[in-house]
Amino acid sequence: DILVLDFGLRGLPASEKPEGYEDVEYIITYKGKETTQISDTFNNKTYPWGTDFLGRDVLTRVMYGARISLLVALIATLVNFLIGITYGSISGFFGGSVDNVMMRIVDIINSIPLLLYVILLMVVFKDSKFDAKVLTPIFGGGGLGTIIISLISVYWVGMARLVRGQVLSLKEQEYVLAARTIGVSNYKIITKHLVPNALGPIIVTMTMMIPSAVFTEAFLSFIGLGISPPRSSLGSLASSGAE
């Protein structure tokens, strides 16, 4: 099973090479089989998707990267779900000046594209003291905590607007007026009557947030602002593959 490399024919003119070896520069002998044709790719059953420039299995890294991307998306979506429901239900239920102030804050955030907010937050958080002392001990290194915090900081505004609209339409229903008449607290009205009856569109919106968060994470990792080595994600794998 010894691999033998013969470079003796390299540099010789074709007239001096043995018959049948006129175009050959290398002779590779392995397990008694001689190979003179060099191919760019070889069938490798051990690494079906090949390896990267460091010799790491690409298939394994894609599976690991997909896990990281989905983890970021699920955590960000769940936190945005909770923030959006809380913020939107309070704004829609109380109305008046409370609603005006809270919605103006949302309008200010919405005036700039959310992806730009996330990029700016990634630049601020990356390699900061907050990242080193808080995010890294909780989420580990590689920028995972930074991108999760960046996503949950701004992606809740869409959910808040949706919940506010649902609460505004539901709070005038008869069962809500009846609950107010018998003295049910505002907290119970929101949690027991309004939010449960608005869960349909909320759940649909939440499921749509998952692929959006995956795309945002992949884009940031692709341009070098998201997940960094030694961790891998779909974006960082696409970036290394593009090179």
Side-chain angles (χ1 to χ4, degrees), residues 47-157:
Y47 307 109
W49 287 13
T51 58
D52 62 6
F53 64 97
L54 292 177
R56 298 173 295 189
D57 183 15
V58 174
L59 176 59
T60 301
R61 286 180 60 77
V62 167
M63 296 171 65
Y64 181 82
R67 185 180 71 177
I68 293 293
S69 296
L70 289 175
L71 177 65
V72 171
L74 290 174
I75 293 177
T77 300
L78 180 60
V79 176
N80 289 328
F81 169 76
L82 298 175
I83 296 176
I85 284 183
T86 304
Y87 195 94
S89 60
I90 293 174
S91 175
F93 180 77
F94 289 101
S97 59
V98 174
D99 182 41
N100 286 332
V101 172
M102 296 180 73
M103 283 301 103
R104 295 302 75 77
I105 296 175
V106 171
D107 291 338
I108 292 172
I109 297 176
N110 270 334
S111 63
I112 300 177
L114 296 184
L115 186 58
L116 181 57
Y117 271 123
V118 174
I119 292 175
L120 293 174
L121 289 172
M122 287 292 299
V123 174
V124 172
F125 286 146
K126 200 172 184 66
D127 298 327
S128 65
K129 292 183 179 180
F130 178 73
D131 182 24
K133 295 183 178 181
V134 179
L135 299 181
T136 300
I138 297 176
F139 299 101
L144 179 61
T146 305
I147 194 169
I148 289 176
I149 294 297
S150 300
L151 287 176
I152 67 178
S153 299
V154 294
Y155 262 53
W156 55 269
V157 293

Side-chain angles (χ1 to χ4, degrees), residues 1-49:
D1 296 349
I2 298 176
L3 177 67
V4 179
L5 304 177
D6 184 359
F7 303 97
L9 300 179
R10 186 180 184 185
L12 292 178
S15 58
E16 298 182 10
K17 294 181 180 180
E19 184 178 355
Y21 291 84
E22 288 82 2
D23 298 328
V24 175
E25 292 189 348
Y26 308 93
I27 299 176
I28 302 173
T29 306
Y30 182 62
K31 292 185 177 181
K33 182 179 179 182
E34 186 179 278
T35 302
T36 58
Q37 299 296 324
I38 305 301
S39 176
D40 291 335
T41 59
F42 294 90
N43 183 25
N44 191 332
K45 296 181 179 179
T46 304
Y47 307 109
W49 287 13

